[in-house]
Structures are given as C-alpha cells and as structure tokens.
Amino acid sequence: LGLKSALATTWAAQAFTSPLIFFYFKNFSVIATISNLVILPAIPLAMLGSFLALIIGKLAAAPTWLLFELLLKTTHFFASLPFALIDVGAS
C-alpha cells in the first residue's frame, strides 16, 4: 500500500517544517501523521483534476472541486479534535 513511503514522506516534511511551525504558530500537532496519511492518497488525484480543469474546463472542474471540499472537511475534522494540538508557547 506504500505505507512505508507515505510515513517517510510525512515524517520528513514534519521534521523540516517543525522549527517554522513552532516559531510562527507556537504549537505542535499530535495527529499530523494520521491526518496526512488519510489525506495523502487523494492529493495526486486533486493535482490531476486541477490540471485537467485547466485544460478541459468545467467538465473536470466540478469533480475536482468536490474532491477539494472533501479534503478540506477532512482537515477541519482532524483539526477540531480536542487533543490535536500541543501549545509549545516558546519562540
């Protein structure tokens, strides 16, 4: 299923962006790995849909818009969980 590759990509992105996230937002996401693994399979489809919408137009734009709505709702769900963030507090 590519889980090992997806985990490696997610952890690498988190490791390199964590200092900036701590500095600017002063928090740490406890569930970032889980939410990224849920959303990651849909990202290539969203990118392809965006490209096709650029080329074809409205025919490809509608399903792509629905996919992006699903991605946003999934992101908002994970972000709304009460244990999703830990306040780092220091800059």
Side-chain angles (χ1 to χ4, degrees):
L1 295 175
L3 184 61
K4 187 176 180 180
S5 175
L7 276 173
T9 303
T10 297
W11 288 339
Q14 289 174 353
F16 286 104
T17 58
S18 288
L20 288 172
I21 292 171
F22 294 159
F23 181 77
Y24 286 108
F25 302 110
K26 297 176 179 40
N27 60 38
F28 173 75
S29 176
V30 177
I31 60 165
T33 300
I34 296 167
S35 62
N36 284 342
L37 289 176
V38 169
I39 289 176
L40 190 61
I43 298 300
L45 292 173
M47 293 171 61
L48 177 63
S50 298
F51 175 72
L52 291 176
L54 177 69
I55 302 300
I56 298 172
K58 289 183 181 181
L59 183 63
T64 303
W65 177 79
L66 290 174
L67 180 58
F68 276 112
E69 283 293 318
L70 177 64
L71 289 172
L72 283 172
K73 289 196 183 303
T74 304
T75 303
H76 286 143
F77 166 75
F78 281 110
S80 70
L81 294 174
F83 56 87
L85 291 176
I86 294 176
D87 185 18
V88 176
S91 60

